[in-house]
PDB file of all heavy atoms in Angstrom:
ATOM      1  N   ASP A   1    -158.661-130.350   1.541  1.00  0.00           N
ATOM      2  CA  ASP A   1    -157.691-131.423   1.411  1.00  0.00           C
ATOM      3  C   ASP A   1    -157.390-131.978   2.793  1.00  0.00           C
ATOM      4  O   ASP A   1    -157.653-131.323   3.808  1.00  0.00           O
ATOM      5  CB  ASP A   1    -156.418-130.888   0.750  1.00  0.00           C
ATOM      6  CG  ASP A   1    -155.476-132.006   0.300  1.00  0.00           C
ATOM      7  OD1 ASP A   1    -155.900-133.181   0.314  1.00  0.00           O
ATOM      8  OD2 ASP A   1    -154.334-131.692  -0.083  1.00  0.00           O
ATOM      9  N   GLY A   2    -156.843-133.159   2.865  1.00  0.00           N
ATOM     10  CA  GLY A   2    -156.510-133.721   4.158  1.00  0.00           C
ATOM     11  C   GLY A   2    -156.375-135.223   4.088  1.00  0.00           C
ATOM     12  O   GLY A   2    -156.366-135.819   3.007  1.00  0.00           O
ATOM     13  N   CYS A   3    -156.260-135.821   5.243  1.00  0.00           N
ATOM     14  CA  CYS A   3    -156.110-137.266   5.306  1.00  0.00           C
ATOM     15  C   CYS A   3    -156.730-137.769   6.606  1.00  0.00           C
ATOM     16  O   CYS A   3    -157.010-137.019   7.539  1.00  0.00           O
ATOM     17  CB  CYS A   3    -154.651-137.679   5.191  1.00  0.00           C
ATOM     18  SG  CYS A   3    -153.568-136.888   6.403  1.00  0.00           S
ATOM     19  N   GLU A   4    -156.935-139.076   6.632  1.00  0.00           N
ATOM     20  CA  GLU A   4    -157.442-139.742   7.823  1.00  0.00           C
ATOM     21  C   GLU A   4    -156.481-140.871   8.195  1.00  0.00           C
ATOM     22  O   GLU A   4    -155.960-141.563   7.320  1.00  0.00           O
ATOM     23  CB  GLU A   4    -158.862-140.253   7.569  1.00  0.00           C
ATOM     24  CG  GLU A   4    -159.838-139.098   7.387  1.00  0.00           C
ATOM     25  CD  GLU A   4    -161.257-139.543   7.050  1.00  0.00           C
ATOM     26  OE1 GLU A   4    -161.421-140.301   6.083  1.00  0.00           O
ATOM     27  OE2 GLU A   4    -162.188-139.096   7.750  1.00  0.00           O
ATOM     28  N   LEU A   5    -156.266-141.021   9.482  1.00  0.00           N
ATOM     29  CA  LEU A   5    -155.319-142.000  10.002  1.00  0.00           C
ATOM     30  C   LEU A   5    -156.037-143.008  10.887  1.00  0.00           C
ATOM     31  O   LEU A   5    -156.861-142.618  11.715  1.00  0.00           O
ATOM     32  CB  LEU A   5    -154.235-141.294  10.847  1.00  0.00           C
ATOM     33  CG  LEU A   5    -153.359-140.275  10.133  1.00  0.00           C
ATOM     34  CD1 LEU A   5    -152.660-139.379  11.159  1.00  0.00           C
ATOM     35  CD2 LEU A   5    -152.322-140.980   9.270  1.00  0.00           C
ATOM     36  N   ILE A   6    -155.724-144.266  10.708  1.00  0.00           N
ATOM     37  CA  ILE A   6    -156.204-145.314  11.604  1.00  0.00           C
ATOM     38  C   ILE A   6    -154.981-145.936  12.268  1.00  0.00           C
ATOM     39  O   ILE A   6    -154.053-146.388  11.599  1.00  0.00           O
ATOM     40  CB  ILE A   6    -156.994-146.398  10.848  1.00  0.00           C
ATOM     41  CG1 ILE A   6    -158.246-145.761  10.202  1.00  0.00           C
ATOM     42  CG2 ILE A   6    -157.403-147.529  11.778  1.00  0.00           C
ATOM     43  CD1 ILE A   6    -159.052-146.728   9.358  1.00  0.00           C
ATOM     44  N   VAL A   7    -154.971-145.919  13.602  1.00  0.00           N
ATOM     45  CA  VAL A   7    -153.864-146.454  14.389  1.00  0.00           C
ATOM     46  C   VAL A   7    -154.420-147.339  15.492  1.00  0.00           C
ATOM     47  O   VAL A   7    -155.627-147.321  15.775  1.00  0.00           O
ATOM     48  CB  VAL A   7    -153.014-145.317  15.000  1.00  0.00           C
ATOM     49  CG1 VAL A   7    -152.437-144.441  13.915  1.00  0.00           C
ATOM     50  CG2 VAL A   7    -153.834-144.494  15.982  1.00  0.00           C
ATOM     51  N   ALA A   8    -153.564-148.114  16.118  1.00  0.00           N
ATOM     52  CA  ALA A   8    -153.982-148.897  17.277  1.00  0.00           C
ATOM     53  C   ALA A   8    -154.485-147.962  18.362  1.00  0.00           C
ATOM     54  O   ALA A   8    -153.963-146.860  18.537  1.00  0.00           O
ATOM     55  CB  ALA A   8    -152.827-149.747  17.791  1.00  0.00           C
ATOM     56  N   ALA A   9    -155.501-148.389  19.091  1.00  0.00           N
ATOM     57  CA  ALA A   9    -156.067-147.558  20.156  1.00  0.00           C
ATOM     58  C   ALA A   9    -154.985-147.123  21.138  1.00  0.00           C
ATOM     59  O   ALA A   9    -154.998-145.990  21.623  1.00  0.00           O
ATOM     60  CB  ALA A   9    -157.179-148.307  20.857  1.00  0.00           C
ATOM     61  N   SER A  10    -154.055-148.005  21.414  1.00  0.00           N
ATOM     62  CA  SER A  10    -152.988-147.700  22.383  1.00  0.00           C
ATOM     63  C   SER A  10    -152.012-146.641  21.859  1.00  0.00           C
ATOM     64  O   SER A  10    -151.258-146.062  22.639  1.00  0.00           O
ATOM     65  CB  SER A  10    -152.229-148.984  22.731  1.00  0.00           C
ATOM     66  OG  SER A  10    -151.688-149.582  21.562  1.00  0.00           O
ATOM     67  N   ASP A  11    -152.001-146.398  20.536  1.00  0.00           N
ATOM     68  CA  ASP A  11    -151.100-145.400  19.948  1.00  0.00           C
ATOM     69  C   ASP A  11    -151.783-144.066  19.669  1.00  0.00           C
ATOM     70  O   ASP A  11    -151.132-143.108  19.224  1.00  0.00           O
ATOM     71  CB  ASP A  11    -150.526-145.946  18.626  1.00  0.00           C
ATOM     72  CG  ASP A  11    -149.600-147.116  18.816  1.00  0.00           C
ATOM     73  OD1 ASP A  11    -148.910-147.139  19.863  1.00  0.00           O
ATOM     74  OD2 ASP A  11    -149.568-147.999  17.943  1.00  0.00           O
ATOM     75  N   ALA A  12    -153.076-143.981  19.928  1.00  0.00           N
ATOM     76  CA  ALA A  12    -153.826-142.795  19.564  1.00  0.00           C
ATOM     77  C   ALA A  12    -153.297-141.540  20.258  1.00  0.00           C
ATOM     78  O   ALA A  12    -153.147-140.478  19.627  1.00  0.00           O
ATOM     79  CB  ALA A  12    -155.309-142.983  19.898  1.00  0.00           C
ATOM     80  N   GLN A  13    -153.017-141.610  21.539  1.00  0.00           N
ATOM     81  CA  GLN A  13    -152.552-140.441  22.276  1.00  0.00           C
ATOM     82  C   GLN A  13    -151.212-139.947  21.737  1.00  0.00           C
ATOM     83  O   GLN A  13    -150.998-138.737  21.583  1.00  0.00           O
ATOM     84  CB  GLN A  13    -152.421-140.788  23.759  1.00  0.00           C
ATOM     85  CG  GLN A  13    -152.146-139.580  24.640  1.00  0.00           C
ATOM     86  CD  GLN A  13    -153.325-138.633  24.696  1.00  0.00           C
ATOM     87  OE1 GLN A  13    -154.398-139.025  25.150  1.00  0.00           O
ATOM     88  NE2 GLN A  13    -153.140-137.404  24.223  1.00  0.00           N
ATOM     89  N   HIS A  14    -150.318-140.871  21.431  1.00  0.00           N
ATOM     90  CA  HIS A  14    -149.000-140.500  20.906  1.00  0.00           C
ATOM     91  C   HIS A  14    -149.141-139.772  19.575  1.00  0.00           C
ATOM     92  O   HIS A  14    -148.494-138.714  19.347  1.00  0.00           O
ATOM     93  CB  HIS A  14    -148.151-141.765  20.747  1.00  0.00           C
ATOM     94  CG  HIS A  14    -146.881-141.550  19.991  1.00  0.00           C
ATOM     95  ND1 HIS A  14    -145.882-140.704  20.431  1.00  0.00           N
ATOM     96  CD2 HIS A  14    -146.449-142.059  18.798  1.00  0.00           C
ATOM     97  CE1 HIS A  14    -144.889-140.708  19.571  1.00  0.00           C
ATOM     98  NE2 HIS A  14    -145.207-141.520  18.567  1.00  0.00           N
ATOM     99  N   VAL A  15    -149.980-140.274  18.682  1.00  0.00           N
ATOM    100  CA  VAL A  15    -150.157-139.647  17.377  1.00  0.00           C
ATOM    101  C   VAL A  15    -150.846-138.300  17.525  1.00  0.00           C
ATOM    102  O   VAL A  15    -150.456-137.309  16.881  1.00  0.00           O
ATOM    103  CB  VAL A  15    -150.955-140.582  16.444  1.00  0.00           C
ATOM    104  CG1 VAL A  15    -151.291-139.884  15.132  1.00  0.00           C
ATOM    105  CG2 VAL A  15    -150.157-141.858  16.174  1.00  0.00           C
ATOM    106  N   TRP A  16    -151.864-138.230  18.366  1.00  0.00           N
ATOM    107  CA  TRP A  16    -152.561-136.954  18.619  1.00  0.00           C
ATOM    108  C   TRP A  16    -151.584-135.900  19.139  1.00  0.00           C
ATOM    109  O   TRP A  16    -151.537-134.768  18.630  1.00  0.00           O
ATOM    110  CB  TRP A  16    -153.685-137.189  19.619  1.00  0.00           C
ATOM    111  CG  TRP A  16    -154.412-135.958  20.084  1.00  0.00           C
ATOM    112  CD1 TRP A  16    -154.049-135.125  21.089  1.00  0.00           C
ATOM    113  CD2 TRP A  16    -155.641-135.420  19.552  1.00  0.00           C
ATOM    114  NE1 TRP A  16    -154.969-134.101  21.246  1.00  0.00           N
ATOM    115  CE2 TRP A  16    -155.944-134.259  20.317  1.00  0.00           C
ATOM    116  CE3 TRP A  16    -156.507-135.808  18.544  1.00  0.00           C
ATOM    117  CZ2 TRP A  16    -157.086-133.484  20.090  1.00  0.00           C
ATOM    118  CZ3 TRP A  16    -157.646-135.043  18.297  1.00  0.00           C
ATOM    119  CH2 TRP A  16    -157.928-133.887  19.070  1.00  0.00           C
ATOM    120  N   ASP A  17    -150.789-136.258  20.147  1.00  0.00           N
ATOM    121  CA  ASP A  17    -149.835-135.305  20.726  1.00  0.00           C
ATOM    122  C   ASP A  17    -148.797-134.855  19.712  1.00  0.00           C
ATOM    123  O   ASP A  17    -148.396-133.684  19.691  1.00  0.00           O
ATOM    124  CB  ASP A  17    -149.136-135.936  21.937  1.00  0.00           C
ATOM    125  CG  ASP A  17    -150.065-136.118  23.127  1.00  0.00           C
ATOM    126  OD1 ASP A  17    -151.156-135.511  23.138  1.00  0.00           O
ATOM    127  OD2 ASP A  17    -149.715-136.903  24.040  1.00  0.00           O
ATOM    128  N   THR A  18    -148.359-135.778  18.861  1.00  0.00           N
ATOM    129  CA  THR A  18    -147.391-135.432  17.833  1.00  0.00           C
ATOM    130  C   THR A  18    -147.933-134.364  16.906  1.00  0.00           C
ATOM    131  O   THR A  18    -147.257-133.380  16.590  1.00  0.00           O
ATOM    132  CB  THR A  18    -146.987-136.676  17.021  1.00  0.00           C
ATOM    133  OG1 THR A  18    -146.362-137.631  17.894  1.00  0.00           O
ATOM    134  CG2 THR A  18    -146.039-136.310  15.892  1.00  0.00           C
ATOM    135  N   LEU A  19    -149.170-134.528  16.468  1.00  0.00           N
ATOM    136  CA  LEU A  19    -149.758-133.589  15.521  1.00  0.00           C
ATOM    137  C   LEU A  19    -150.154-132.259  16.169  1.00  0.00           C
ATOM    138  O   LEU A  19    -149.977-131.194  15.585  1.00  0.00           O
ATOM    139  CB  LEU A  19    -150.981-134.230  14.853  1.00  0.00           C
ATOM    140  CG  LEU A  19    -150.640-135.334  13.856  1.00  0.00           C
ATOM    141  CD1 LEU A  19    -151.871-136.160  13.518  1.00  0.00           C
ATOM    142  CD2 LEU A  19    -150.015-134.755  12.594  1.00  0.00           C
ATOM    143  N   VAL A  20    -150.666-132.330  17.405  1.00  0.00           N
ATOM    144  CA  VAL A  20    -151.116-131.118  18.087  1.00  0.00           C
ATOM    145  C   VAL A  20    -149.953-130.345  18.665  1.00  0.00           C
ATOM    146  O   VAL A  20    -149.824-129.114  18.455  1.00  0.00           O
ATOM    147  CB  VAL A  20    -152.142-131.452  19.186  1.00  0.00           C
ATOM    148  CG1 VAL A  20    -152.485-130.205  20.017  1.00  0.00           C
ATOM    149  CG2 VAL A  20    -153.416-132.046  18.571  1.00  0.00           C
ATOM    150  N   ASP A  21    -149.060-131.012  19.376  1.00  0.00           N
ATOM    151  CA  ASP A  21    -147.980-130.320  20.085  1.00  0.00           C
ATOM    152  C   ASP A  21    -146.777-130.030  19.192  1.00  0.00           C
ATOM    153  O   ASP A  21    -146.180-128.938  19.281  1.00  0.00           O
ATOM    154  CB  ASP A  21    -147.520-131.153  21.286  1.00  0.00           C
ATOM    155  CG  ASP A  21    -148.638-131.351  22.314  1.00  0.00           C
ATOM    156  OD1 ASP A  21    -149.548-130.509  22.339  1.00  0.00           O
ATOM    157  OD2 ASP A  21    -148.599-132.348  23.064  1.00  0.00           O
ATOM    158  N   GLU A  22    -146.408-130.977  18.345  1.00  0.00           N
ATOM    159  CA  GLU A  22    -145.218-130.785  17.514  1.00  0.00           C
ATOM    160  C   GLU A  22    -145.536-130.052  16.202  1.00  0.00           C
ATOM    161  O   GLU A  22    -144.764-129.196  15.765  1.00  0.00           O
ATOM    162  CB  GLU A  22    -144.554-132.129  17.198  1.00  0.00           C
ATOM    163  CG  GLU A  22    -143.953-132.830  18.407  1.00  0.00           C
ATOM    164  CD  GLU A  22    -143.220-134.093  18.023  1.00  0.00           C
ATOM    165  OE1 GLU A  22    -142.880-134.233  16.826  1.00  0.00           O
ATOM    166  OE2 GLU A  22    -142.999-134.941  18.906  1.00  0.00           O
ATOM    167  N   SER A  23    -146.665-130.401  15.574  1.00  0.00           N
ATOM    168  CA  SER A  23    -146.981-129.823  14.265  1.00  0.00           C
ATOM    169  C   SER A  23    -147.944-128.651  14.336  1.00  0.00           C
ATOM    170  O   SER A  23    -148.209-128.002  13.330  1.00  0.00           O
ATOM    171  CB  SER A  23    -147.551-130.921  13.350  1.00  0.00           C
ATOM    172  OG  SER A  23    -146.603-131.925  13.115  1.00  0.00           O
ATOM    173  N   GLY A  24    -148.493-128.380  15.527  1.00  0.00           N
ATOM    174  CA  GLY A  24    -149.365-127.220  15.700  1.00  0.00           C
ATOM    175  C   GLY A  24    -150.727-127.341  15.041  1.00  0.00           C
ATOM    176  O   GLY A  24    -151.344-126.324  14.716  1.00  0.00           O
ATOM    177  N   VAL A  25    -151.206-128.556  14.838  1.00  0.00           N
ATOM    178  CA  VAL A  25    -152.523-128.759  14.251  1.00  0.00           C
ATOM    179  C   VAL A  25    -153.584-128.461  15.308  1.00  0.00           C
ATOM    180  O   VAL A  25    -153.465-128.881  16.472  1.00  0.00           O
ATOM    181  CB  VAL A  25    -152.660-130.198  13.705  1.00  0.00           C
ATOM    182  CG1 VAL A  25    -154.041-130.401  13.121  1.00  0.00           C
ATOM    183  CG2 VAL A  25    -151.591-130.460  12.649  1.00  0.00           C
ATOM    184  N   THR A  26    -154.641-127.754  14.948  1.00  0.00           N
ATOM    185  CA  THR A  26    -155.649-127.290  15.892  1.00  0.00           C
ATOM    186  C   THR A  26    -156.704-128.356  16.179  1.00  0.00           C
ATOM    187  O   THR A  26    -157.332-128.857  15.250  1.00  0.00           O
ATOM    188  CB  THR A  26    -156.370-126.047  15.334  1.00  0.00           C
ATOM    189  OG1 THR A  26    -155.405-125.018  15.090  1.00  0.00           O
ATOM    190  CG2 THR A  26    -157.435-125.539  16.294  1.00  0.00           C
ATOM    191  N   PRO A  27    -156.934-128.719  17.452  1.00  0.00           N
ATOM    192  CA  PRO A  27    -158.020-129.634  17.787  1.00  0.00           C
ATOM    193  C   PRO A  27    -159.378-129.007  17.442  1.00  0.00           C
ATOM    194  O   PRO A  27    -159.630-127.836  17.754  1.00  0.00           O
ATOM    195  CB  PRO A  27    -157.878-129.829  19.292  1.00  0.00           C
ATOM    196  CG  PRO A  27    -156.464-129.473  19.600  1.00  0.00           C
ATOM    197  CD  PRO A  27    -156.122-128.374  18.631  1.00  0.00           C
ATOM    198  N   CYS A  28    -160.247-129.786  16.808  1.00  0.00           N
ATOM    199  CA  CYS A  28    -161.551-129.298  16.370  1.00  0.00           C
ATOM    200  C   CYS A  28    -162.636-130.287  16.775  1.00  0.00           C
ATOM    201  O   CYS A  28    -162.400-131.498  16.813  1.00  0.00           O
ATOM    202  CB  CYS A  28    -161.583-129.120  14.854  1.00  0.00           C
ATOM    203  SG  CYS A  28    -160.370-127.947  14.208  1.00  0.00           S
ATOM    204  N   GLY A  29    -163.824-129.741  17.055  1.00  0.00           N
ATOM    205  CA  GLY A  29    -164.926-130.570  17.510  1.00  0.00           C
ATOM    206  C   GLY A  29    -166.008-130.779  16.467  1.00  0.00           C
ATOM    207  O   GLY A  29    -165.918-130.313  15.315  1.00  0.00           O
ATOM    208  N   LEU A  30    -167.073-131.451  16.892  1.00  0.00           N
ATOM    209  CA  LEU A  30    -168.142-131.825  15.984  1.00  0.00           C
ATOM    210  C   LEU A  30    -168.894-130.617  15.412  1.00  0.00           C
ATOM    211  O   LEU A  30    -169.387-130.666  14.288  1.00  0.00           O
ATOM    212  CB  LEU A  30    -169.140-132.729  16.713  1.00  0.00           C
ATOM    213  CG  LEU A  30    -168.644-134.110  17.127  1.00  0.00           C
ATOM    214  CD1 LEU A  30    -169.737-134.837  17.903  1.00  0.00           C
ATOM    215  CD2 LEU A  30    -168.229-134.923  15.914  1.00  0.00           C
ATOM    216  N   ALA A  31    -168.990-129.519  16.161  1.00  0.00           N
ATOM    217  CA  ALA A  31    -169.732-128.359  15.676  1.00  0.00           C
ATOM    218  C   ALA A  31    -169.058-127.756  14.455  1.00  0.00           C
ATOM    219  O   ALA A  31    -169.721-127.449  13.443  1.00  0.00           O
ATOM    220  CB  ALA A  31    -169.887-127.325  16.783  1.00  0.00           C
ATOM    221  N   ALA A  32    -167.741-127.583  14.505  1.00  0.00           N
ATOM    222  CA  ALA A  32    -167.012-127.054  13.357  1.00  0.00           C
ATOM    223  C   ALA A  32    -167.095-128.016  12.183  1.00  0.00           C
ATOM    224  O   ALA A  32    -167.266-127.620  11.035  1.00  0.00           O
ATOM    225  CB  ALA A  32    -165.565-126.792  13.733  1.00  0.00           C
ATOM    226  N   ARG A  33    -166.985-129.302  12.492  1.00  0.00           N
ATOM    227  CA  ARG A  33    -167.068-130.317  11.434  1.00  0.00           C
ATOM    228  C   ARG A  33    -168.408-130.273  10.718  1.00  0.00           C
ATOM    229  O   ARG A  33    -168.504-130.429   9.497  1.00  0.00           O
ATOM    230  CB  ARG A  33    -166.817-131.701  12.043  1.00  0.00           C
ATOM    231  CG  ARG A  33    -166.650-132.849  11.057  1.00  0.00           C
ATOM    232  CD  ARG A  33    -166.141-134.064  11.790  1.00  0.00           C
ATOM    233  NE  ARG A  33    -165.919-135.214  10.923  1.00  0.00           N
ATOM    234  CZ  ARG A  33    -166.655-136.318  10.948  1.00  0.00           C
ATOM    235  NH1 ARG A  33    -167.681-136.424  11.786  1.00  0.00           N
ATOM    236  NH2 ARG A  33    -166.386-137.326  10.147  1.00  0.00           N
ATOM    237  N   ASP A  34    -169.479-130.017  11.473  1.00  0.00           N
ATOM    238  CA  ASP A  34    -170.809-129.982  10.888  1.00  0.00           C
ATOM    239  C   ASP A  34    -170.968-128.790   9.940  1.00  0.00           C
ATOM    240  O   ASP A  34    -171.547-128.913   8.864  1.00  0.00           O
ATOM    241  CB  ASP A  34    -171.865-129.926  11.986  1.00  0.00           C
ATOM    242  CG  ASP A  34    -173.254-130.221  11.462  1.00  0.00           C
ATOM    243  OD1 ASP A  34    -173.432-131.259  10.809  1.00  0.00           O
ATOM    244  OD2 ASP A  34    -174.177-129.423  11.716  1.00  0.00           O
ATOM    245  N   VAL A  35    -170.428-127.640  10.334  1.00  0.00           N
ATOM    246  CA  VAL A  35    -170.517-126.464   9.468  1.00  0.00           C
ATOM    247  C   VAL A  35    -169.640-126.666   8.222  1.00  0.00           C
ATOM    248  O   VAL A  35    -170.057-126.343   7.100  1.00  0.00           O
ATOM    249  CB  VAL A  35    -170.084-125.190  10.224  1.00  0.00           C
ATOM    250  CG1 VAL A  35    -170.067-123.985   9.282  1.00  0.00           C
ATOM    251  CG2 VAL A  35    -171.006-124.929  11.398  1.00  0.00           C
ATOM    252  N   LEU A  36    -168.458-127.208   8.404  1.00  0.00           N
ATOM    253  CA  LEU A  36    -167.551-127.439   7.280  1.00  0.00           C
ATOM    254  C   LEU A  36    -168.163-128.384   6.256  1.00  0.00           C
ATOM    255  O   LEU A  36    -168.137-128.123   5.052  1.00  0.00           O
ATOM    256  CB  LEU A  36    -166.215-128.002   7.800  1.00  0.00           C
ATOM    257  CG  LEU A  36    -165.348-127.035   8.611  1.00  0.00           C
ATOM    258  CD1 LEU A  36    -164.374-127.807   9.477  1.00  0.00           C
ATOM    259  CD2 LEU A  36    -164.603-126.084   7.686  1.00  0.00           C
ATOM    260  N   ARG A  37    -168.720-129.491   6.726  1.00  0.00           N
ATOM    261  CA  ARG A  37    -169.287-130.465   5.778  1.00  0.00           C
ATOM    262  C   ARG A  37    -170.526-129.906   5.108  1.00  0.00           C
ATOM    263  O   ARG A  37    -170.789-130.190   3.934  1.00  0.00           O
ATOM    264  CB  ARG A  37    -169.573-131.791   6.483  1.00  0.00           C
ATOM    265  CG  ARG A  37    -170.675-131.800   7.541  1.00  0.00           C
ATOM    266  CD  ARG A  37    -172.044-132.110   6.973  1.00  0.00           C
ATOM    267  NE  ARG A  37    -173.100-131.907   7.962  1.00  0.00           N
ATOM    268  CZ  ARG A  37    -174.384-131.890   7.647  1.00  0.00           C
ATOM    269  NH1 ARG A  37    -174.790-132.046   6.407  1.00  0.00           N
ATOM    270  NH2 ARG A  37    -175.293-131.678   8.578  1.00  0.00           N
ATOM    271  N   LEU A  38    -171.306-129.076   5.806  1.00  0.00           N
ATOM    272  CA  LEU A  38    -172.498-128.471   5.208  1.00  0.00           C
ATOM    273  C   LEU A  38    -172.083-127.493   4.111  1.00  0.00           C
ATOM    274  O   LEU A  38    -172.679-127.488   3.017  1.00  0.00           O
ATOM    275  CB  LEU A  38    -173.341-127.792   6.271  1.00  0.00           C
ATOM    276  CG  LEU A  38    -174.622-127.104   5.791  1.00  0.00           C
ATOM    277  CD1 LEU A  38    -175.537-128.082   5.060  1.00  0.00           C
ATOM    278  CD2 LEU A  38    -175.361-126.472   6.966  1.00  0.00           C
ATOM    279  N   GLU A  39    -171.089-126.659   4.369  1.00  0.00           N
ATOM    280  CA  GLU A  39    -170.599-125.748   3.334  1.00  0.00           C
ATOM    281  C   GLU A  39    -170.147-126.505   2.090  1.00  0.00           C
ATOM    282  O   GLU A  39    -170.314-126.037   0.962  1.00  0.00           O
ATOM    283  CB  GLU A  39    -169.436-124.909   3.874  1.00  0.00           C
ATOM    284  CG  GLU A  39    -169.832-123.883   4.918  1.00  0.00           C
ATOM    285  CD  GLU A  39    -168.651-123.092   5.436  1.00  0.00           C
ATOM    286  OE1 GLU A  39    -167.505-123.587   5.370  1.00  0.00           O
ATOM    287  OE2 GLU A  39    -168.873-121.959   5.898  1.00  0.00           O
ATOM    288  N   ALA A  40    -169.593-127.699   2.313  1.00  0.00           N
ATOM    289  CA  ALA A  40    -169.112-128.527   1.201  1.00  0.00           C
ATOM    290  C   ALA A  40    -170.233-129.347   0.567  1.00  0.00           C
ATOM    291  O   ALA A  40    -169.973-130.113  -0.377  1.00  0.00           O
ATOM    292  CB  ALA A  40    -167.998-129.463   1.697  1.00  0.00           C
ATOM    293  N   GLY A  41    -171.466-129.204   1.058  1.00  0.00           N
ATOM    294  CA  GLY A  41    -172.597-129.910   0.491  1.00  0.00           C
ATOM    295  C   GLY A  41    -172.595-131.394   0.771  1.00  0.00           C
ATOM    296  O   GLY A  41    -173.166-132.185   0.011  1.00  0.00           O
ATOM    297  N   LEU A  42    -171.979-131.803   1.874  1.00  0.00           N
ATOM    298  CA  LEU A  42    -171.892-133.227   2.237  1.00  0.00           C
ATOM    299  C   LEU A  42    -173.032-133.595   3.178  1.00  0.00           C
ATOM    300  O   LEU A  42    -173.334-132.884   4.118  1.00  0.00           O
ATOM    301  CB  LEU A  42    -170.538-133.520   2.882  1.00  0.00           C
ATOM    302  CG  LEU A  42    -169.318-133.195   1.988  1.00  0.00           C
ATOM    303  CD1 LEU A  42    -168.037-133.399   2.768  1.00  0.00           C
ATOM    304  CD2 LEU A  42    -169.326-134.051   0.727  1.00  0.00           C
ATOM    305  N   MET A  43    -173.631-134.763   2.919  1.00  0.00           N
ATOM    306  CA  MET A  43    -174.790-135.206   3.689  1.00  0.00           C
ATOM    307  C   MET A  43    -174.382-135.787   5.042  1.00  0.00           C
ATOM    308  O   MET A  43    -173.315-136.381   5.185  1.00  0.00           O
ATOM    309  CB  MET A  43    -175.574-136.279   2.924  1.00  0.00           C
ATOM    310  CG  MET A  43    -175.985-135.913   1.503  1.00  0.00           C
ATOM    311  SD  MET A  43    -177.187-134.593   1.417  1.00  0.00           S
ATOM    312  CE  MET A  43    -176.172-133.288   0.714  1.00  0.00           C
ATOM    313  N   LEU A  44    -175.258-135.636   6.026  1.00  0.00           N
ATOM    314  CA  LEU A  44    -175.088-136.261   7.336  1.00  0.00           C
ATOM    315  C   LEU A  44    -176.184-137.298   7.513  1.00  0.00           C
ATOM    316  O   LEU A  44    -177.373-136.984   7.457  1.00  0.00           O
ATOM    317  CB  LEU A  44    -175.179-135.231   8.450  1.00  0.00           C
ATOM    318  CG  LEU A  44    -175.170-135.780   9.888  1.00  0.00           C
ATOM    319  CD1 LEU A  44    -173.857-136.509  10.174  1.00  0.00           C
ATOM    320  CD2 LEU A  44    -175.387-134.682  10.908  1.00  0.00           C
ATOM    321  N   TYR A  45    -175.763-138.553   7.745  1.00  0.00           N
ATOM    322  CA  TYR A  45    -176.763-139.610   7.929  1.00  0.00           C
ATOM    323  C   TYR A  45    -177.560-139.356   9.209  1.00  0.00           C
ATOM    324  O   TYR A  45    -177.015-138.985  10.231  1.00  0.00           O
ATOM    325  CB  TYR A  45    -176.128-141.017   7.989  1.00  0.00           C
ATOM    326  CG  TYR A  45    -177.203-142.063   7.824  1.00  0.00           C
ATOM    327  CD1 TYR A  45    -177.530-142.547   6.580  1.00  0.00           C
ATOM    328  CD2 TYR A  45    -177.962-142.491   8.924  1.00  0.00           C
ATOM    329  CE1 TYR A  45    -178.566-143.469   6.407  1.00  0.00           C
ATOM    330  CE2 TYR A  45    -179.001-143.387   8.770  1.00  0.00           C
ATOM    331  CZ  TYR A  45    -179.292-143.863   7.502  1.00  0.00           C
ATOM    332  OH  TYR A  45    -180.340-144.740   7.355  1.00  0.00           O
TER     333      TYR A  45
END
């Protein structure tokens, strides 16, 4: 489950900091994303 957010480029840092620093959401990179989507059977173009 989850969601995706689109914000103005100038607001990206503020939203990122809010979620990471205030809400404790863990920053994740492309390697984890690739394993997660593969486990879910999702294709990569």
Side-chain angles (χ1 to χ4, degrees):
D1 192 10
C3 54
E4 294 177 306
L5 299 162
I6 298 176
V7 300
S10 58
D11 292 327
Q13 188 68 62
H14 170 62
V15 173
W16 174 275
D17 290 344
T18 298
L19 289 165
V20 173
D21 298 336
E22 293 185 18
S23 297
V25 179
T26 301
C28 300
L30 293 176
R33 189 169 181 249
D34 194 52
V35 176
L36 291 159
R37 67 89 189 168
L38 180 57
E39 290 179 336
L42 301 174
M43 306 293 111
L44 173 62
Y45 194 91

